Amino acid sequence: MKLFWTIALVLLAAACTPMQWARPDADASQLDADTRDCQVQAWNEARWRSYQYAGMYGPFLYRDSLGRPFAAWPQGPFGDPFGERFMEESRLANFCMRTKGYELQPTK
């Protein structure tokens, strides 16, 4: 039983390893500038596609099969699997950093 808890503790500690973007030819200031640039671009793109942006039009009014009216937003949690803005922003920022040649590596 002691061996089980030791292995579980080691695996848990390994799962908490902090990660950082790294590129061999980039210094810290270049990393900060690229990270900031990718985050801004990702924020703009995710905001453009998100349901909050379409929210300025208000909900769409539909009728169900019995003719009763109901309101529905253009993109909901069931309409688009990538519709969650913050997850999409994270994916876009990661893609941008990878296209600039960075890789996620454990910090030393």
Side-chain angles (χ1 to χ4, degrees):
M1 192 61 143
K2 192 182 245 187
L3 178 64
F4 170 76
W5 289 111
T6 304
I7 292 173
L9 183 62
V10 168
L11 290 175
L12 184 64
C16 297
T17 303
M19 303 292 279
Q20 183 178 7
W21 291 106
R23 188 173 78 183
D25 61 339
D27 59 351
S29 62
Q30 181 69 34
L31 173 65
D32 289 341
D34 287 341
T35 302
R36 195 173 319 110
D37 180 50
C38 285
Q39 287 174 347
V40 167
Q41 288 179 16
W43 182 81
N44 285 331
E45 185 68 24
R47 195 189 86 195
W48 178 259
R49 293 193 216 174
S50 73
Y51 66 90
Q52 282 107 354
Y53 185 81
M56 63 190 230
Y57 302 116
F60 294 135
L61 297 175
Y62 297 103
R63 294 198 178 268
D64 65 4
S65 61
L66 299 176
R68 297 175 296 201
F70 69 94
W73 292 97
Q75 294 176 351
F78 304 109
D80 183 12
F82 298 107
E84 210 286 310
R85 185 175 132 209
F86 301 109
M87 293 298 289
E88 182 70 9
E89 183 178 336
S90 176
R91 280 189 290 270
L92 289 169
N94 287 344
F95 176 75
C96 178
M97 290 299 284
R98 289 186 194 283
T99 59
K100 290 186 180 204
Y102 289 92
E103 292 182 10
L104 271 177
Q105 297 177 348
T107 58
K108 298 176 183 176

